[in-house]
């Protein structure tokens, strides 16, 4: 009945479906959730677009991807400048001259760099072997102890000394006063929310929600020549080789009868004692105003609690250590042998993907197969 059955209405699935339809292909999109947009789903609460599955800030240096998303949404000028709260002390993120000044009282980049080098030398680190050593070599012992260690160990549920060094390399370190977390040419939040953007991508395409592909695989597989699968790769193969590990996140969301709770979209709690990793105040992604530019009288906050994934939880962050990477490669070999099935997206590729990279991957896949 269809050329393509797309399993999952997140960014990868929506982009592939849109491009396939543009090429004259017949497409059916299904998703087990009651809504489209996957983990970038936003719902309106008190006039605020709430990021139900965690904060998503679009940022990219890829001009093709930026032009692509702007076909489906207008983006605002939001700049991500999180704040770190360590036992009531507030620091700038990313780590920059404001952070170094608050931590050490230094004024110049030369002084800040010398302080980092002094602490790196004292720690005896030459070639960082894990996240702890990598962090100290980047920002020194003081910043590591206050702003990295507690937060990271809450997020990953493992000592920093047991985590791979590459995780911390995502954190920008600057010897300037630049408070923009992402070093990206293009950045913003879609006006009207991500759900509306994905709905525009799926216009004119048949979408069935509340449909679990794996529960009705034999029946659904007969509907299309080819399947585009964006769910967990291990679930596709019934966990036959074992389950891949993830970190999950639990959200406590509240509507507060006040106009301003924390004055910033994201505040990270970096001490080990605070049980949550951060608080998101959703209205500040859109400058605290509604579509008409009116100030909003209420606010919505979400506390994020990191946890070990177990079946039934939402998988968020793949644990890309040696054991899980080796297991994924075995699943990938099985996937490569599947006829007329395309595996794509963060769950099917067991990869920590930024949104622009998901879309770039989807468009590259379309280039190859359409």
């Amino acid at each position: 009945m269809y050329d393509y059955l797309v399993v999952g209405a997140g960014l990868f699935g929506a982009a592939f479906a849109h491009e396939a339809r543009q090429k004259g292909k017949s497409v059916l999109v299904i998703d087990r959730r009651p809504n489209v947009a996957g983990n970038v789903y936003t719902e309106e609460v008190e006039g605020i677009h709430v990021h139900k599955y965690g904060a998503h800030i679009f940022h990219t240096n890829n001009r093709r991807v930026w032009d692509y998303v702007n076909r489906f949404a207008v983006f605002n000028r939001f700049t991500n400048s999180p704040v770190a709260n360590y036992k009531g002390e507030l620091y700038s993120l990313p780590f920059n001259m404001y952070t170094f000044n608050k931590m050490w009282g230094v004024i110049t980049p030369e002084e800040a760099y010398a302080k980092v080098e002094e602490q790196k030398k004292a720690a005896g680190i030459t070639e960082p072997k894990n996240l702890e050593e990598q962090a100290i070599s980047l920002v020194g012992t003081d910043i590591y102890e206050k702003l990295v260690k507690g937060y990271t160990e809450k997020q990953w549920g493992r000592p920093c000394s047991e985590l791979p060094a590459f995780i911390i390399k995502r954190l920008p370190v600057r010897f300037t006063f630049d408070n923009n977390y992402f070093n990206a040419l293009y950045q913003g939040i879609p006006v009207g929310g991500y759900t509306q953007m994905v709905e525009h991508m799926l216009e004119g395409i048949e979408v069935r929600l509340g449909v679990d592909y794996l529960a009705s695989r034999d029946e659904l597989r007969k509907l299309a020549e080819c399947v585009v699968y964006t769910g967990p790769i291990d679930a596709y193969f019934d966990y036959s080789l074992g389950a891949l590990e993830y970190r999950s996140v639990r959200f406590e969301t509240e509507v507060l009868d006040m106009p301003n709770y924390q004055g910033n979209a994201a505040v990270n709690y970096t001490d080990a004692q605070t049980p949550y990793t951060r608080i998101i105040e959703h209205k500040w992604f859109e400058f605290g105003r509604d579509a008409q530019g009116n100030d909003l009288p209420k606010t919505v906050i979400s506390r994020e609690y990191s946890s070990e994934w177990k079946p039934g939880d939402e998988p968020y962050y793949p644990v890309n250590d040696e054991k899980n990477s080796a297991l994924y490669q075995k699943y990938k070999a099985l996937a490569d042998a599947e006829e007329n099935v395309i595996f794509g997206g963060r769950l099917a590729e067991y990869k920590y993907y930024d949104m622009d990279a998901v879309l770039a991957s989807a468009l590259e896949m379309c280039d190859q197969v359409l």
Side-chain angles (χ1 to χ4, degrees), residues 211-358:
V211 178
D212 186 341
Y213 175 75
L214 298 179
S216 309
R217 184 188 326 217
D218 294 341
E219 173 190 341
L220 291 167
R221 183 67 186 85
K222 296 171 185 173
L223 296 180
E225 290 288 328
C226 182
V227 170
V228 178
Y229 179 79
T230 69
I233 189 170
D234 52 353
Y236 182 92
F237 293 104
D238 298 319
Y239 305 102
S240 58
L241 304 175
L244 291 163
E245 293 179 294
Y246 290 88
R247 293 295 288 174
S248 192
V249 184
R250 177 173 63 85
F251 302 95
E252 280 184 1
T253 299
E254 283 185 76
V255 178
L256 301 177
D257 195 12
M258 60 173 69
N260 191 351
Y261 177 75
Q262 65 186 18
N264 203 48
V267 175
N268 292 6
Y269 286 77
T270 61
D271 62 281
Q273 291 73 35
T274 303
Y276 41 85
T277 53
R278 65 179 178 176
I279 296 179
I280 300 300
E281 188 166 7
H282 300 268
K283 71 188 300 182
W284 300 122
F285 290 128
E286 299 182 58
F287 316 114
R289 300 183 179 91
D290 63 17
Q292 288 71 45
N294 303 311
D295 291 336
L296 293 162
K298 295 186 179 183
T299 194
V300 181
I301 64 168
S302 296
R303 295 180 188 87
E304 297 187 7
Y305 297 82
S306 186
S307 62
E308 202 72 28
W309 177 86
K310 61 184 184 299
D313 294 342
E314 281 298 330
Y316 282 89
Y317 305 107
V319 180
N320 293 125
D321 57 14
E322 286 184 23
K323 178 184 75 171
N324 284 286
S325 297
L327 179 56
Y328 166 68
Q329 288 303 322
K330 292 177 182 178
Y331 276 122
K332 186 176 185 303
L334 294 179
D336 291 343
E338 287 284 289
E339 289 187 9
N340 296 318
V341 182
I342 295 166
F343 292 79
R346 66 182 184 90
L347 297 175
E349 297 178 62
Y350 195 63
K351 187 179 288 188
Y352 188 101
Y353 259 140
D354 284 330
M355 288 180 285
D356 65 322
V358 172

Side-chain angles (χ1 to χ4, degrees), residues 2-6 16-17 20-21 25-29 205-206:
Y2 302 92
D3 294 313
Y4 290 98
L5 170 65
V6 177
F16 190 97
R21 184 173 181 272
K25 306 296 184 182
S26 56
V27 184
L28 170 64
V29 176
I205 296 169
E206 184 180 351

Side-chain angles (χ1 to χ4, degrees), residues 95 100 104 116 119 134-141 143-144 148 173:
F95 304 128
F100 304 141
W104 298 316
V116 171
Q119 295 192 353
Q134 182 69 60
I136 292 171
S137 71
L138 287 171
V139 292
T141 311
I143 290 177
Y144 166 71
V148 176
V173 179

Side-chain angles (χ1 to χ4, degrees), residues 35-52:
N35 53 265
V36 301
N39 275 17
V40 303
Y41 173 68
T42 50
E43 59 183 353
E44 191 168 315
V45 179
E46 298 290 344
I48 299 162
H49 293 112
V50 172
H51 297 221
K52 185 172 180 180

Side-chain angles (χ1 to χ4, degrees), residues 52 59 89 135 149 166 178 180-181 247 261 273 321:
K52 185 172 180 180
H59 57 98
E89 299 173 15
K149 188 176 191 296
F166 76 84
D178 181 4
N180 183 355
Y181 190 88
R247 293 295 288 174
Y261 177 75
Q273 291 73 35
D321 57 14

